[in-house]
Amino acid sequence: MKYYAEIKNGIVLNVAQSEDTLDWEGWVEYSPTGEFRGAPAVIGGSYSYDKDKFAAPKPYPSWTFNTEAFEWQAPVAKPQEIAAWDEISQTWSIPE
Amino acid sequence: MGIQSFTPTSGGLSGQTFIDQVYLTYKVRKWSRAGSPGFYRATSALGKDGFVYFLQSDGTLVQAPLNGIANVTLPFTEIRILATQYDMISLYKVSAKGTDSLTLTPNYTKITSSGNYAFPSNSVGFADAWLIGGGGQAVHHGGGGGGGGITEVTSAPLPVGSTVAIVIGAVGGDTIFQGRRASRGGYGNDNADAVTGYPTAGGSGSGSGTNNRNRIAGDGGLATIAVDKSQSTYLATLGTALTVPLPEQDIVTRYPTPLNTANHTGGGCDNSLGGHIGGGGAGIGGAGVNSSNSHSHGGPGGAPVTGHSPWGITSLGVHSVGAGGHGGRHSPNSDSATRPPYPTGFDANGYGNGSNSRHSSTDGGSGGVAWIRTWSV
């Protein structure tokens, strides 16, 4: 199965699945696991034709968008471990 | 050469036989004229309006406007006329060819892949559709499960022999057929989003239905927090019921079915202090379950709706649609939910099921589907 996102003005309007290659105008293939073209496409997210990458909607108010990397970044660098962002304390929470 | 008199042997129109004519010295006239059953037309020489009434042998009257056709099913003995004075009324018997009944054969097609589909040229220009939106997308590390997709039953014009683009929503996407849209299930909330300012709260399951349209199912799933955070009791709010009538609803009422949608709320996070445990997403058949510290997993997702197609065709099998995804668990570092058994058909015939939240990923969930019913002649 292949996955496609409908793009208008750089915004993802819908996501669809197809067993075949879709050649519909304005639709771009994405990876639901993020293996190519950046983040998985979600409705309300964005897509850059220049970067050929998807980005998720803004996850937290404090995060900023890195236009070069075309992704949202936390004010504090993410640790290597799996961690959850705490918006109030502005820290990463690492599971016990 | 004098003026010749013509007595027509048939009417001026094909398929009509001239019977007789009468001159109206009065606006209302009783004409003693008998005849056998059949189709009759009484015409006005002046091109005026009026009515004729055929008195049948059982005493009943068959009415027709002047120049219209009367279907007289019994022998008649008299014709009553209401028309314009000094008009000339002509009576014709109209022959009609018999017709055979036309049988329309329903054809069902299940479409799970987006694309351009050519519809048969022997179909009538109308199709019914049962659409299921994609299941809701969960997030990882202990978020709430995605909500179940929305089901819509609709009908649409279909130009004969046309090629139609059909969009089958992936997980988190809408299914669209001829401009009719079945919404995706709602997204599961991240584990830090369930309650603003309380980072250890688990994510809550998102309701079936999407926030931007509020279509049919509730939004559901946003948790609330006790004033004393140490109590950390999180409850899911009620889903938002549909408030805007949609044309599709009329169609739904025309096809009563066990697959109708309902309002349900996603699960919240009950006493999940420090647990990062997500609630279950709402299904279209039931609410998502709250997470709990007594669980070793997040809250199970809400139930799907299982049944036959909206058209009651048992040969199409039993379908399970719109289950809520299961909440995940982030801390302690266990890998998500211990899931209850999947509902019947979740894998084989399941559509629009919300995805599950896991510790480091998501899984499960299913895209939408479009069942199309066409009618061949």
Side-chain angles (χ1 to χ4, degrees):
Chain A
M1 190 70 78
K2 297 178 180 178
Y3 299 90
Y4 293 85
E6 182 184 14
I7 312 297
K8 187 174 184 180
N9 297 327
I11 302 298
V12 177
L13 301 182
N14 197 8
V15 291
Q17 61 188 29
S18 180
E19 294 172 352
D20 304 315
T21 298
L22 286 184
D23 57 359
W24 293 346
E25 184 178 356
W27 289 76
V28 177
E29 186 176 7
Y30 72 93
S31 165
T33 55
E35 294 175 356
F36 57 88
R37 290 200 170 111
V42 296
I43 293 177
S46 53
Y47 172 76
S48 167
Y49 284 97
D50 292 338
K51 302 287 184 183
D52 194 23
K53 291 181 69 175
F54 289 93
K58 189 174 187 176
Y60 301 100
S62 65
W63 287 36
T64 56
F65 194 72
N66 184 323
T67 55
E68 187 62 30
F70 205 74
E71 63 185 18
W72 295 98
Q73 292 182 342
V76 178
K78 184 180 177 302
Q80 294 300 314
E81 298 90 340
I82 293 174
W85 176 249
D86 174 6
E87 179 69 4
I88 298 301
S89 64
Q90 297 285 290
T91 59
W92 288 96
S93 169
I94 300 175
E96 299 171 358
Chain B
M1 178 182 289
I3 299 174
Q4 297 187 47
S5 177
F6 292 92
T7 300
T9 56
S10 65
L13 297 174
S14 62
Q16 295 189 152
T17 303
F18 175 77
I19 302 297
D20 202 351
Q21 59 190 23
V22 64
Y23 182 67
L24 293 185
T25 51
Y26 301 97
K27 292 177 65 176
V28 180
R29 179 187 171 102
K30 185 168 66 176
W31 185 10
S32 297
R33 189 71 175 81
S36 57
F39 294 103
Y40 289 90
R41 179 200 301 271
T43 63
S44 161
L46 298 179
K48 300 292 186 179
D49 294 331
F51 285 94
V52 293
Y53 303 85
F54 294 83
L55 178 60
Q56 298 185 124
S57 57
D58 65 351
T60 60
L61 292 170
V62 176
Q63 171 189 308
L66 276 181
N67 306 307
I69 301 289
N71 181 11
V72 182
T73 57
L74 297 172
F76 63 92
T77 57
E78 177 182 297
I79 301 173
R80 298 171 183 177
I81 303 171
L82 174 60
T84 302
Q85 191 175 17
Y86 309 129
D87 198 356
M88 181 72 77
I89 304 301
S90 299
L91 181 65
Y92 298 88
K93 188 167 189 179
V94 180
S95 62
K97 290 184 172 63
T99 58
D100 297 324
S101 62
L102 179 63
T103 301
L104 299 178
T105 304
N107 306 288
Y108 300 90
T109 305
K110 180 177 70 174
I111 297 174
T112 58
S113 172
S114 303
N116 300 315
Y117 290 87
F119 282 80
S121 58
N122 65 340
S123 293
V124 298
F126 192 76
D128 303 314
W130 173 37
L131 310 175
I132 310 294
Q137 177 67 59
V139 295
H140 63 82
H141 55 63
I150 294 299
T151 174
E152 299 263 14
V153 180
T154 186
S155 300
L158 192 70
V160 173
S162 63
T163 297
V164 172
I166 299 177
V167 177
I168 303 298
V171 171
D174 299 344
T175 295
I176 305 171
F177 169 70
Q178 291 289 74
R180 317 301 165 91
R181 178 183 292 255
S183 298
R184 62 197 177 277
Y187 286 93
N189 284 330
D190 197 342
N191 67 357
D193 285 345
V195 180
T196 300
Y198 201 70
T200 54
S204 58
S206 185
S208 177
T210 56
N211 293 331
N212 61 342
R213 272 186 289 275
N214 286 341
R215 300 186 76 167
I216 298 180
D219 292 339
L222 292 179
T224 58
I225 185 174
V227 174
D228 180 0
K229 293 183 178 179
S230 65
Q231 297 296 316
S232 118
T233 296
Y234 303 94
L235 300 173
T237 57
L238 293 176
T240 304
L242 177 71
T243 55
V244 181
L246 298 170
E248 289 87 342
Q249 284 184 293
D250 297 333
I251 302 296
V252 170
T253 58
R254 286 169 49 193
Y255 296 99
T257 164
L259 290 167
N260 283 343
T261 54
N263 300 324
H264 298 290
T265 182
C269 315
D270 182 12
N271 196 26
S272 57
L273 180 62
H276 293 269
I277 304 175
I284 63 172
V289 178
N290 293 349
S291 64
S292 171
N293 271 353
S294 63
H295 300 165
S296 61
H297 52 78
V305 172
T306 302
H308 295 294
S309 76
W311 305 302
I313 306 299
T314 57
S315 61
L316 298 180
V318 174
H319 308 283
S320 173
V321 300
H326 304 298
R329 181 168 186 170
H330 178 61
S331 175
N333 191 355
S334 60
D335 202 7
S336 191
T338 299
R339 295 176 178 76
Y342 284 137
T344 300
F346 187 94
D347 293 317
N349 288 311
Y351 307 103
N353 300 304
S355 68
N356 308 314
S357 175
R358 297 175 67 88
H359 173 62
S360 58
S361 63
T362 63
D363 69 1
S366 54
V369 68
W371 279 95
I372 308 296
R373 178 170 65 177
T374 57
W375 300 89
S376 60
V377 295

